[in-house]
Amino acid sequence: MFMKKIVLIVGPTGVGKTSLSIKLAKHYNTELISGDSVQVYRSLDIGSGKVTEKEKEGIKHYLIDILDPTQDYSVSDFQKASREIIDNMNTLPILVGGTGYYLRACLYNYEFTSNKRTDKYNNLTNEELYNRLLELKDSNIPNINNRIRLLRHLEILESNDEPTKKDEPLYDFLIIGLTCDRDILYDRINSRVDEMIKNGLLEEVKSLYDKGIHSKAVNSIGYKELYDYFDNLTTYDEAVNLIKQHSRNFAKRQMTWFKNQMETHWIDVVKEDPYQKSIELINAFLGE
């Protein structure tokens, strides 16, 4: 049975996926599909690390800036949209992103059924809500005094679509993962957050906050911490430090996911030339 070939560029936040993917898209005269769960939202630009028009260098990017921040976007939405794009492309599809669950749902024959939350938590105290999030292993639990955010976290964690039929690949795929020494990566992440602040992250989040947007989109790293600052639940310095800490934690989870859940060809971006090594891997994959 013929299966379409696709390439994925994955890895933790801040490791250099965007720049590499654009170089590869230019080399193979193709287009890119974003596998990021936050970059789909308009107005969430700096905090999501969204590629700029200048950085795109004329390369078309799919699944970026397709929704308003008030709209919902699930793994099943991504699955449907990404497969439609892949199946209609006449060139080599390249997916790039760090949301591993989304990417895996695209590659394999996952089928989803909705599992929406009810209002059963409304009568619980804040402490009980907080403890429920601990049970669900939420690593970025809101301040215990912020009831709205606690309830929203539970809604997000318990409204994910439930997959079945996981193990049948629909495509012939090559996964290239970018990595580097943990200390180097963490330094990159800290510097990246500082650059985001310099480029106007505070103003971007304040604009969303002032519009009264309290949706799944702004529950993302870089946004929820500053929302707590605007709610006077943390200081500004605490919020920035939490963005860095949560970003580092997220990067660690990303690495664990890709190492354990997906067969990935790893490239150390410090010890090797990721572009040349990727070309070698892709050409071998294509039989060239």
Side-chain angles (χ1 to χ4, degrees), residues 202-241:
L202 184 68
E203 292 76 14
E204 176 176 287
V205 181
K206 187 62 162 60
S207 176
L208 296 165
Y209 181 87
D210 287 345
K211 292 175 183 176
I213 296 173
H214 293 272
S215 62
K216 179 179 178 179
V218 296
N219 201 52
S220 307
I221 297 172
Y223 296 89
K224 61 177 177 284
E225 297 86 357
L226 288 173
Y227 263 58
D228 282 345
Y229 164 61
F230 296 135
D231 284 334
N232 296 314
L233 298 174
T234 63
T235 68
Y236 173 74
D237 288 342
E238 287 171 342
V240 173
N241 286 333

Side-chain angles (χ1 to χ4, degrees), residues 5 40 72 85 106 120 134 149 183 197 214 219 239:
K5 289 182 178 289
V40 293
D72 285 333
I85 295 165
C106 170
K120 61 184 177 181
L134 286 176
R149 298 286 303 284
D183 290 338
I197 296 295
H214 293 272
N219 201 52

Side-chain angles (χ1 to χ4, degrees), residues 126-143:
N126 284 18
E127 183 177 1
E128 289 170 328
L129 293 172
Y130 189 91
N131 289 335
R132 177 61 181 151
L133 288 168
L134 286 176
E135 292 173 5
L136 293 171
K137 296 180 169 43
D138 184 3
S139 62
N140 296 316
I141 302 176
N143 188 289

Side-chain angles (χ1 to χ4, degrees), residues 55-281:
E55 290 169 339
K56 288 179 183 177
E57 297 187 33
I59 299 297
K60 183 173 180 61
H61 286 62
Y62 293 95
L63 302 185
I64 289 180
D65 287 339
I66 61 171
L67 296 175
D68 291 327
T70 54
Q71 294 178 277
D72 285 333
Y73 187 69
S74 70
V75 61
S76 57
D77 293 326
F78 171 79
Q79 181 193 65
K80 180 180 178 180
S82 60
R83 287 181 182 175
E84 183 176 350
I85 295 165
I86 291 169
D87 294 343
N88 285 288
M89 285 183 70
N90 296 318
T91 55
L92 175 69
I94 299 179
L95 279 74
V96 55
T99 309
Y101 186 44
Y102 278 42
L103 297 174
R104 187 172 177 84
C106 170
L107 299 176
Y108 289 89
N109 191 24
Y110 281 34
E111 295 180 359
F112 292 94
T113 57
S114 183
N115 180 29
K116 298 300 182 184
R117 182 185 72 84
T118 67
D119 293 328
K120 61 184 177 181
Y121 296 123
N122 283 349
N123 293 327
L124 297 183
T125 66
N126 284 18
E127 183 177 1
E128 289 170 328
L129 293 172
Y130 189 91
N131 289 335
R132 177 61 181 151
L133 288 168
L134 286 176
E135 292 173 5
L136 293 171
K137 296 180 169 43
D138 184 3
S139 62
N140 296 316
I141 302 176
N143 188 289
I144 195 170
N145 296 317
N146 192 332
R147 184 174 182 82
I148 293 176
R149 298 286 303 284
L150 290 169
L151 285 168
R152 184 57 180 156
H153 260 240
L154 277 173
E155 178 184 352
I156 290 166
L157 289 174
E158 298 201 341
S159 67
N160 288 332
D161 296 327
E162 294 294 329
T164 59
K165 296 185 179 180
K166 302 179 183 181
D167 299 325
E168 301 173 17
L170 300 181
Y171 304 101
D172 183 11
F173 54 85
L174 169 70
I175 304 176
I176 297 173
L178 304 185
T179 186
C180 63
D181 178 80
R182 185 178 64 180
D183 290 338
I184 294 175
L185 177 62
Y186 286 0
D187 285 342
R188 287 188 176 194
I189 290 171
N190 291 339
S191 297
R192 188 170 184 245
V193 172
D194 289 335
E195 189 69 17
M196 288 177 175
I197 296 295
K198 179 181 177 182
N199 290 337
L201 177 61
L202 184 68
E203 292 76 14
E204 176 176 287
V205 181
K206 187 62 162 60
S207 176
L208 296 165
Y209 181 87
D210 287 345
K211 292 175 183 176
I213 296 173
H214 293 272
S215 62
K216 179 179 178 179
V218 296
N219 201 52
S220 307
I221 297 172
Y223 296 89
K224 61 177 177 284
E225 297 86 357
L226 288 173
Y227 263 58
D228 282 345
Y229 164 61
F230 296 135
D231 284 334
N232 296 314
L233 298 174
T234 63
T235 68
Y236 173 74
D237 288 342
E238 287 171 342
V240 173
N241 286 333
L242 283 172
I243 294 173
K244 293 178 179 179
Q245 177 186 325
H246 293 161
S247 297
R248 295 192 301 267
N249 293 342
F250 180 54
K252 183 178 180 180
R253 294 196 301 274
Q254 287 175 302
M255 289 297 298
T256 300
W257 170 272
F258 288 116
K259 286 180 178 178
N260 295 333
Q261 300 289 334
M262 307 180 89
E263 185 177 341
T264 305
H265 297 265
W266 291 102
I267 301 173
D268 189 312
V269 298
V270 175
K271 298 177 180 178
E272 301 178 273
D273 182 337
Y275 175 68
Q276 291 300 328
K277 184 63 176 178
S278 295
I279 294 291
E280 293 174 14
L281 289 169

